[in-house]
Amino acid sequence: MARIVIALGGNALQANPKDTTAEAQLVTARETSGAIVDLIEEGHEVIVAHGNGPQVGQLIATYEAAASINENSPIMPFPECGAMSQGYIGYHLQQSIRAEMRKRGINKEVATVVTQVIVDPNDEGFKNPTKPVGSFFTEQQAKKLMTEKGYIMKEDSNRGWRRVVASPLPMAIVEEPIIKTLVEAGHVVITVGGGGIPVIDTGNGTLEGVPAVIDKDFASCKIAELLNADALVVLTAVEQVAINFGRPDQKNLSSITVKEAKTYIEEGHFAPGSMLPKIKAALSFVEAKEGRKAIITSLEKAREAIGGTAGTVIIN
C-alpha cells in the first residue's frame, strides 16, 4: 500500500473541450472515478488534486457577460470564483468516486476540502502577471476596466484584450491539519482544486484572497510533501513524457533520473505551458526526500503506471 497524490489534468474533467456544461463534466467525472477507485481498491491511500482552468474561466466570463448587459450587476472577485469552481468540481468528483466505491463494496467516505494556499505577496509572479483569465474585450473596454477595476489587461494574439493575473508559487496550505486528519482516518480527500485559492497572510491571523492562479501541479507537489506521500502521479493527455516531441525523432521516456530531467529542461524539450510545470513539480517532490517517485502518465494508464508497466517515472 502506498500513499498517492493524484493530480488530475483538464482532460480528466472535460473530455470534450467544446462541451463545457456541468452535465458533460459530471459524465467525465464518472468515467474518471473508475481509474481513481482502481487504486483505492488495490489498497492505496489516494488524495485527489485537480485543475480548474476552463471552469473558473467560464464562471468569470459569465459574470463579465452579465455586467456588460447590466452595469449594476457585480463581477464576482477572482478568489471567490476559484472557491466556487473548487466546490462544484469537488461535488462532481466526490459523488462519482463514492458511487464507484459503493459499486465495488468499498466502505470509505470521500470529501472535498475547499483549500486556501498561502502565497508570498512579493513573489516574482506578481511583478509580471501573465496568466490570462475570463473574456475577451475591445481595447476601449479593457482600458475602462483597468481604470475602474485596477485590472491588468493585455492584448492576446490579436484576438482581443484579456485580464491577466499572477501565477505565484504555493508556500503553505491553510487547511493542512484538516486534510491530514481526514487522510489518517482513511477517507478519500479532494483538495487544492485549481491549485487552491491564493491567499496572503496579512497578520493577526487574517488571510486575504488575491487574484492569482497557482499551478495545480505545484500545489499537488506541496500537498504531497506535507502528507509525506510515497508517490505523486500527474495525469495528463499523454501516456509518457517525450523528448523531441512532435518531431520524427521523438523519443518516449519510461524512466528518467532527476539529473536527466534537468538536462532535458536545459535543452528546451518541455513546453512552458504544458509539460514543463509537471516536470518541475515532479522534480521538487522527488528531490525533497529519498525513496519518493513521481509518475507522469495518462488517466487510462494510471493503474499500470503505479505497477511500473506504463507512464514515465522520475526517480532520484
Side-chain angles (χ1 to χ4, degrees), residues 180-199:
K180 283 182 174 179
T181 298
L182 290 169
V183 171
E184 294 295 341
H187 304 303
V188 180
V189 180
I190 301 163
T191 181
V192 293
I197 305 161
V199 296

Side-chain angles (χ1 to χ4, degrees), residues 140-316:
Q140 183 179 357
Q141 290 171 324
K143 288 180 177 178
K144 184 179 180 183
L145 285 169
M146 286 190 280
T147 301
E148 294 181 355
K149 300 287 187 180
Y151 291 173
I152 298 173
M153 309 287 291
K154 292 184 180 181
E155 202 277 329
D156 188 342
S157 305
N158 295 317
R159 296 180 295 175
W161 290 67
R162 295 180 79 187
R163 184 184 181 187
V164 292
V165 298
S167 186
L169 292 172
M171 293 176 59
I173 293 174
V174 177
E175 289 75 21
E176 176 189 346
I178 299 169
I179 295 165
K180 283 182 174 179
T181 298
L182 290 169
V183 171
E184 294 295 341
H187 304 303
V188 180
V189 180
I190 301 163
T191 181
V192 293
I197 305 161
V199 296
I200 57 172
D201 189 342
T202 60
N204 300 318
T206 302
L207 300 173
E208 180 182 320
V210 291
V213 174
I214 300 170
D215 186 283
K216 71 104 169 77
D217 295 313
F218 290 126
S220 301
C221 171
K222 176 60 71 174
I223 195 66
E225 290 176 356
L226 294 174
L227 292 174
N228 194 26
D230 300 296
L232 170 64
V233 180
V234 180
L235 300 182
T236 185
V238 295
E239 180 183 338
Q240 289 184 315
V241 177
I243 55 174
N244 303 317
F245 184 75
R247 291 163 43 180
D249 58 345
Q250 175 176 319
K251 179 184 177 182
N252 290 353
L253 306 170
S254 58
S255 178
I256 52 175
T257 64
V258 168
K259 183 179 179 180
E260 288 170 335
K262 288 181 176 179
T263 298
Y264 292 142
I265 289 173
E266 291 175 2
E267 293 173 351
H269 284 284
F270 308 127
S274 178
M275 190 57 72
L276 183 59
K278 295 172 175 56
I279 296 291
K280 285 186 173 180
L283 291 179
S284 178
F285 175 72
V286 170
E287 285 187 292
K289 186 178 179 181
E290 282 295 324
R292 288 177 173 174
K293 65 179 178 180
I295 298 168
I296 300 176
T297 191
S298 64
L299 175 68
E300 296 76 16
K301 294 292 183 177
R303 188 175 192 172
E304 294 171 50
I306 295 293
T309 60
T312 300
V313 62
I314 300 173
I315 55 176
N316 237 327

